[in-house]
Amino acid sequence: MLDELKLIEAVAPDILAVLQERFKILQNIYWMQPIGRRNLAESMEMTERILRSETDQLKKLQLIEVSKSGMTLTEKGEAAYNGLGEMMDQLFGMHRLEKRLADHFGIARCVISTGDSDRQRKIIEEFGDYLNEALDFLLPEGNNIIAAMGGTTMAIVAERLTNLESEKRHNLFVPARGGIGEAVNLQANSVSSVMAMRANGDYRALYVPEQLSPATYRSLLQEPSILEVLNLISHANCVIHSIGRALHMAARRKMSEEEILMLKQKNAVAESFGYFFNENGEVIYKVPKIGIELNELQDVPVILAVAGGKSKAKAIKAYMKNAPKQTWLITDEAAANEILKGATL
C-alpha cells in the first residue's frame, strides 16, 4: 500500500497534502475532544478560516460531529483515524526521524509518537501502547523480572499494558527502587503493581522510604524481606523508566532548599534513577536510596525509557548520554525535533 501511495504522491502530491492535513485535524480532535474550532486552530497554529473549511468537509464525510461542547470524532471518524495512523507515520517520514534520533544517541531504537505530550495527554497514553508492543516483542520466553520506576509518565503508561503472559512466558514486576514519601499513585510500588495487574503477571513490593540517612540505609539492608526483593531487582532482565526535569523532580521529592540551590548552581537539567545530571550528562548529585544503580543498567538486556514533550528535551538529551546501547526510547515528535535541532545530519 505504501508503494502505491508514493506513486500517487509523485503524480498528484496535492492529494496527499490534503490527506495529511485532514489526518492531522482528526488526530488533534481525537487527542482533545470535545474541542471548539478556535481552540483547535490555536493548537494546530492554523487560521480559523482554513480550519473551518476542512472541518466542514470532515463533517460532510461523517467523520466528525459538532455540538455545543465542541467537535468529536464519529465512530466512522475514529475508525478512519486508527486505520490511517501507521500508514501516515511511515509515509511522512516518522521512521526516518526515529532512526536519526536513535543514531544520534547511539541506542538500539527510538519509537516516536506524533505531537507534543506537553500539550496532549493522550500522547502519553500512546506511549503506553508503544511500551506494551515493545515488551511483547522484546521479552523472551521463560521467567522475566521487570523492574519499573515511578513517576507521572510511568503511572499513565502502566494503565495501557495488556496481557503479556503466555504458556512459555511468565513476568514478575518489581519496583526498581524504594519510593514511599511521594504521591502513592506515582511510587514505583504502585506503578509496578498496576503493570502486573494489567499484564497478568506477578508483583513484589519494596516498602522503603525514598530518601534515607546512611544509618537507616545500612539497617534496612539487613532486613530479609528487603534483601529478597533487592535480589530480584538485581536479577531484572528488563527495566522501564522515565526521565524527569531536575528541579521539577527535586521539588516533587521535597528535597531541601540547600539541595535545590546546589542543583541550580551545578546546572542540573535531568533526573533518573535518583541521579541528577547536567547538560553534559555528568552526574552531579545522587539521592541516597535503595534500588537499582545506574551502573547496573549496562548488564540489563531490555531497557525502555519513556519520556516526551518539548519541555523535557534537554533532560532527555542529558540523561541519554548515559543510556546503555540496548536502550529503546519512547518519545514524541516535539522532543525529538527539539533534541535534533542544530544536530549535524
Side-chain angles (χ1 to χ4, degrees), residues 114-297:
T114 55
D116 184 350
S117 55
D118 285 340
R119 302 169 69 177
Q120 296 109 2
R121 177 188 168 93
K122 278 188 177 290
I123 295 177
I124 305 179
E125 295 178 359
E126 288 186 6
F127 291 170
D129 297 335
Y130 288 138
L131 174 64
N132 190 64
E133 292 174 8
L135 287 170
D136 195 33
F137 175 73
L138 292 170
L139 291 176
E141 293 180 354
N143 295 318
N144 296 298
I145 300 175
I146 302 162
M149 295 293 288
T152 306
T153 297
M154 295 295 292
I156 296 171
V157 302
E159 297 283 354
R160 305 294 293 185
L161 296 194
T162 59
N163 180 40
L164 295 170
E165 295 289 299
S166 71
E167 291 183 3
K168 297 182 179 180
R169 183 171 68 190
H170 178 63
N171 305 309
L172 171 65
F173 290 81
V174 295
R177 62 181 294 169
I180 297 172
E182 56 183 347
V184 173
N185 67 310
L186 305 184
Q187 294 173 13
N189 270 325
S190 297
V191 169
S192 54
S193 67
V194 171
M195 286 184 171
M197 178 183 67
R198 296 290 183 184
N200 291 328
D202 288 328
Y203 157 72
R204 294 296 302 275
L206 180 63
Y207 294 114
V208 295
E210 169 71 8
Q211 299 187 56
L212 303 166
S213 68
T216 304
Y217 181 88
R218 286 192 296 271
S219 66
L220 284 174
L221 287 178
Q222 307 306 313
E223 292 293 327
S225 60
I226 290 176
L227 284 174
E228 183 184 359
V229 180
L230 287 177
N231 182 57
L232 290 172
I233 295 171
S234 70
H235 287 88
N237 64 322
C238 175
V239 171
I240 309 169
H241 70 97
S242 189
I243 302 161
R245 289 168 288 145
L247 298 182
H248 174 79
M249 294 302 298
R252 202 185 83 190
R253 288 184 171 151
K254 299 180 175 62
M255 293 173 66
S256 69
E257 291 183 10
E258 291 79 8
E259 288 174 310
I260 292 175
L261 178 60
M262 176 272 297
L263 292 174
K264 289 179 179 177
Q265 290 173 338
K266 293 188 176 183
N267 299 314
V269 297
E271 185 277 340
S272 196
F273 298 100
Y275 293 82
F276 287 83
F277 307 87
N278 63 19
E279 284 193 46
N280 295 323
E282 297 165 338
V283 176
I284 58 172
Y285 186 68
K286 175 188 173 185
V287 176
K289 46 100 180 138
I290 288 179
I292 200 162
E293 299 288 343
L294 191 63
N295 61 357
E296 295 172 339
L297 293 176

